[in-house]
Amino acid sequence: MASTPEKPATLSWTPPTPRSRVGITLETYILDGMMGSPAATGTFTSVLNTLSLGAKLITAHVRRAGLANLLGLTGQTNIQGEQVAKLDEEANEILLTVFGSRHHCAAVATEEMEQIVAFPKHDKGKYLVVFDPLDGSSNIDCNASIGTIFGVLRKAGDQAATEGDFFQKGRDLVAAGYVLYGSSTMLVITTGKSGVHGFTYDPTVGEFLLSHENIRTPQKGNTYSINEGNASRWTDDVTRWNQWIKGEDKESGRPYGQRYIGTLVADAHRTLLKGGVFAYPADKKSPTGKLRLLYEANPFAFILEAAGGKASTGRERILDIQPTALHQRVPLVLGSYEDVDAYEQFMRGER
Ligand code: P6P
């Protein structure tokens, strides 16, 4: 009788059909260098992980704001002259604390504070971080989407950071992203050359998990996003564009649908994923526009261009603007390449 074959000492295991990378954590994605350079360096990885920690902590506050009576206003106003909601203050404190606890970040610039915050003993830090800790605070009390916007810049030399270190063109950002506190919390980030990636927060494990790898903005969309309430203040070229985009023309897919949430992070996120165009132009009330160059327009321009979209003032590429002041405002139009192009043609008087 044939002897029974020896049982193998170890069982061979074949993985289930290879899964996509969806579901891996943000930290794994960064550590495995899938974010592209300079993510591969340990210090840069530490900065991105600090951002992730800050986003998790802010999420916890945002999700319980309604219960923790954080919806009230502090009664103070910030550098922008805006009423500061408690969540603004909380989010700002959280980001200052997490970045102040890691020496890789030399200093931060935040919408909530007039001057930069240079962390003592961080002079040798290689990075600077700009952020709007809680964008869309006017939407907090009605539970509409709000967000956090951030950008990471390099810092040269070992001397203490100065305000001038932040006056870098947006094209010199080493990373940019945002956190959208919507029906779920999603962190979207790019280092510019290796795609734009979205990570959705799973509160049961306390991790951001890859959910949208390599987001690409459609070349052309079918929605436009602008505060029509400002129409009486627009310049003629914006008014002509606005009438054109609402006109009836089957061939070019007009009229476009109108969408406006009033939180840049939410309006820009929808435009990034679905295409179309978002605009906050200069007008008679805000002659240089309302949105801030360093920590609103630049990060989103960096993200849209990395996803194949476009971002400008209507006349000049946002990422080429030389900053001259920490809180300077710029007109902003961003979205699908073709839709921003059409807007720019109106600004140049070609239509
Ligand atoms: P308006 C929110 O206050 C914000 O700074 C951006 O998030 C948003 O895009 C814009 O202002 C909305 O401004 O004048 O339309 O309310």
Side-chain angles (χ1 to χ4, degrees):
M1 178 196 308
S3 62
T4 51
E6 283 294 308
K7 269 198 180 144
T10 55
L11 287 174
S12 67
W13 175 79
T14 46
T17 45
R19 291 156 34 88
S20 77
R21 294 194 288 212
V22 168
I24 64 171
T25 66
L26 171 61
E27 280 70 12
T28 304
Y29 202 81
I30 296 168
L31 287 170
D32 284 2
M34 290 180 270
M35 198 63 84
S37 66
T41 71
T43 49
F44 187 71
T45 299
S46 170
V47 170
L48 293 188
N49 287 337
T50 304
L51 276 164
S52 164
L53 173 61
K56 292 176 188 175
L57 294 169
I58 295 173
T59 293
H61 283 259
V62 167
R63 295 302 172 206
R64 64 166 193 263
L67 301 174
N69 188 26
L70 281 177
L71 294 179
L73 294 175
T74 60
Q76 294 156 32
T77 54
N78 64 12
I79 152 101
Q80 327 300 340
E82 293 164 344
Q83 278 277 341
V84 178
K86 285 180 185 172
L87 270 182
D88 280 24
E89 238 171 46
E90 294 269 350
N92 195 53
E93 274 310 303
I94 286 169
L95 292 176
L96 289 174
T97 304
V98 295
F99 281 112
S101 65
R102 302 270 184 95
H103 60 278
H104 302 314
C105 172
V108 300
T110 160
E111 180 182 46
E112 294 301 320
M113 302 171 86
E114 194 154 356
Q115 268 93 33
I116 67 166
V117 175
F119 298 114
K121 304 199 194 70
H122 287 208
D123 295 356
K124 292 188 170 53
K126 294 195 182 70
Y127 297 101
L128 305 167
V129 180
V130 296
F131 54 79
D132 180 353
L134 208 79
D135 170 60
S137 26
S138 57
N139 277 327
I140 291 175
D141 283 1
C142 56
N143 209 17
S145 295
I146 50 182
T148 297
I149 311 167
F150 60 85
V152 183
L153 295 162
R154 279 195 182 79
K155 173 183 165 284
D158 290 347
Q159 70 293 350
T162 64
E163 186 175 83
D165 290 325
F166 286 84
F167 296 169
Q168 300 179 44
K169 294 181 178 180
R171 66 188 188 212
D172 295 327
L173 280 160
V174 288
Y178 59 88
V179 187
L180 175 63
Y181 310 104
S183 45
S184 64
T185 293
M186 187 167 160
L187 187 148
V188 175
I189 188 167
T190 182
T191 55
K193 299 199 174 30
S194 305
V196 178
H197 312 291
F199 299 81
T200 300
Y201 187 61
D202 179 343
T204 59
V205 294
E207 291 288 0
F208 281 103
L209 306 178
L210 182 67
S211 54
H212 298 66
E213 188 169 26
N214 202 19
I215 297 169
R216 301 297 294 167
T217 300
Q219 274 295 88
K220 187 177 184 302
N222 57 16
T223 60
Y224 76 101
S225 186
I226 190 170
N227 184 343
E228 294 268 2
N230 292 331
S232 62
R233 300 173 182 147
W234 291 337
T235 53
D236 292 347
D237 44 22
V238 174
T239 302
R240 285 187 300 105
W241 164 81
N242 182 256
Q243 284 159 358
W244 171 81
I245 199 116
K246 295 192 279 194
E248 192 74 43
D249 177 76
K250 241 188 179 46
E251 196 188 321
S252 58
R254 289 179 292 127
Y256 275 27
Q258 206 276 343
R259 299 284 184 278
Y260 194 75
I261 297 166
T263 295
L264 173 62
V265 171
D267 285 318
H269 177 71
R270 180 198 59 249
T271 308
L272 174 76
L273 264 59
K274 299 191 168 189
V277 55
F278 167 88
Y280 206 109
D283 61 29
K284 294 177 190 121
K285 180 186 168 198
S286 317
T288 57
K290 173 179 184 183
L291 300 174
R292 310 293 176 171
L293 174 61
L294 258 64
Y295 41 77
E296 291 178 327
N298 271 343
F300 272 110
F302 192 75
I303 294 162
L304 263 295
E305 288 200 7
K310 198 176 187 186
S312 76
T313 62
R315 291 179 172 80
E316 179 184 6
R317 182 186 181 221
I318 290 287
L319 296 183
D320 287 340
I321 297 174
Q322 176 55 54
T324 53
L326 216 51
H327 301 285
Q328 77 185 74
R329 300 172 191 266
V330 285
L332 175 64
V333 55
L334 57 79
S336 295
Y337 199 93
E338 287 182 29
D339 293 321
V340 173
D341 228 24
Y343 180 95
E344 291 172 343
Q345 287 166 28
F346 280 90
M347 299 308 116
R348 291 194 297 265
E350 292 164 11
R351 282 192 175 198

